[in-house]
């Protein structure tokens, strides 16, 4: 680490917690300790309900002045939430139009069925309207972690679906999401977009930020942050690795005066 970050940001699934699972108490404590020192941001393709279930509801008690330094950016930053007291307040949302949503849903369903990726056994809906994002989850949103890992261990199936849907929706952004998901948003929306919006909202330049992610490889959904070339990125291998790295970082960050 060659600088003291003013913003420490994270992917959510498989970085702070197993996919769609609650954070461990150790991560909750570390996030609060960070928020006592710097701005803390979480950016993910998931919707705000997932952020609440996985993170917000699992944070240890903290005063409002500490929670005010936590920034939540669901659906890759197309939505932005901050704490006011103990409540989350939306600052903005960039929703898809009805036409964009319908075309996205139609394209991803038809292409998944054509490619043999529309599964009969699922845990919850395959398609989800997140307002600013349409998400395809091959096994449903509530699928067990082991089942999701086994469905597409190489990422090849997701990539195949992403490419097919992108060819049909040239005016929209189609990208690989989590372990079994493909996300569709407006053009140019990815985690790099979310980081730029975070810079605008916090007033902290990108080179003053640090980002932790589990998929910073060129095919990963965290890669757009690395590709910006302005944000220092840290590769992690699961939440325990993230926690260990945060334990190393925290002593270098003095508490906020």
């Amino acid at each position: 680490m060659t600088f003291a970050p003013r913003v420490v940001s994270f992917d959510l699934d498989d970085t702070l917690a197993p996919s769609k699972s609650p954070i461990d108490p150790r991560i909750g404590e570390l996030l609060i300790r960070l928020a006592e020192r710097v701005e803390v941001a979480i950016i993910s393709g998931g919707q705000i309900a997932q952020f609440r279930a996985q993170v917000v509801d699992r944070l240890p008690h903290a005063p409002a002045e500490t929670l005010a330094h936590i920034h939540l950016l669901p659906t890759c930053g197309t939505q932005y939430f901050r704490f006011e007291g103990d409540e989350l307040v939306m600052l903005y949302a960039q929703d898809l139009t009805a036409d964009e949503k319908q075309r996205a849903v139609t394209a991803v369903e038809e292409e998944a069925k054509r490619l043999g990726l529309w599964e009969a056994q699922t845990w919850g809906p395959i398609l989800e309207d997140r307002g600013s994002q349409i998400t395809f989850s091959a096994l449903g949103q509530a699928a067990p972690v082991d089942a999701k890992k086994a469905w597409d261990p190489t990422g090849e199936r997701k990539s195949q679906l992403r490419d097919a849907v992108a060819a049909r929706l040239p005016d929209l952004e189609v990208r690989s999401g989590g372990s079994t998901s493909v996300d569709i948003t407006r053009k140019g929306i990815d985690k790099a977009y979310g980081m730029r919006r975070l810079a605008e909202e916090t007033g902290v330049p990108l080179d003053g930020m640090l980002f932790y992610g589990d998929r910073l490889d060129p095919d990963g959904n965290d890669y757009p942050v690395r590709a910006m070339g302005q944000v220092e990125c840290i590769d992690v291998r699961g939440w325990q690795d993230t926690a260990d790295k945060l334990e190393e970082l925290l002593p270098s960050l003095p508490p906020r005066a």
Side-chain angles (χ1 to χ4, degrees), residues 75 79 94-97 101 128-134:
T75 55
Q79 300 174 1
Q94 297 183 341
D95 289 346
L96 294 165
T97 66
K101 290 179 181 181
E128 186 178 8
D129 179 355
R130 297 179 176 176
S132 54
Q133 178 176 291
I134 297 297

Side-chain angles (χ1 to χ4, degrees), residues 8-17 26-27 30-31 34 211-214 234-250:
V8 179
S9 56
F10 304 90
D11 169 50
L12 178 49
D13 283 346
D14 298 318
T15 297
L16 290 177
R26 182 184 175 200
I27 286 289
L30 288 166
L31 290 175
L34 272 177
F211 178 81
Y212 291 80
D214 70 301
I234 307 293
D235 289 276
V236 296
R237 298 176 304 280
W239 73 265
Q240 295 98 331
D241 188 27
T242 302
D244 291 344
K245 287 180 166 62
L246 290 180
E247 296 281 10
E248 296 175 5
L249 173 68
L250 275 162

Side-chain angles (χ1 to χ4, degrees), residues 45 75-78 94 96 100 104 131-135 169 171-175 182-190 193:
T75 55
C76 293
T78 56
Q94 297 183 341
L96 294 165
E100 289 169 335
S132 54
Q133 178 176 291
I134 297 297
T135 294
L169 301 172
D171 60 319
L172 297 176
E173 191 78 30
V174 184
R175 64 188 178 280
V182 169
D183 298 327
I184 303 170
T185 62
R186 288 189 175 154
K187 202 71 173 175
I189 303 296
D190 55 22
Y193 168 87

Side-chain angles (χ1 to χ4, degrees), residues 149 151-162 176 178-179 215 219:
K149 287 181 177 179
W151 186 78
D152 188 22
T154 66
E156 182 179 356
R157 304 177 86 186
K158 273 194 313 178
S159 295
Q160 187 180 22
L161 179 59
R162 177 199 61 205
S176 294
S179 53
R215 289 299 311 276
D219 291 327

Side-chain angles (χ1 to χ4, degrees), residues 20 26 45 61-63 88 102 109 152 160 192 199 205 220 223 227 232 237 241 248 252:
K20 305 298 184 294
R26 182 184 175 200
H61 176 75
L88 279 178
Q102 183 57 52
E109 180 172 349
D152 188 22
Q160 187 180 22
Y223 183 72
E232 184 159 340
R237 298 176 304 280
D241 188 27
E248 296 175 5
S252 70

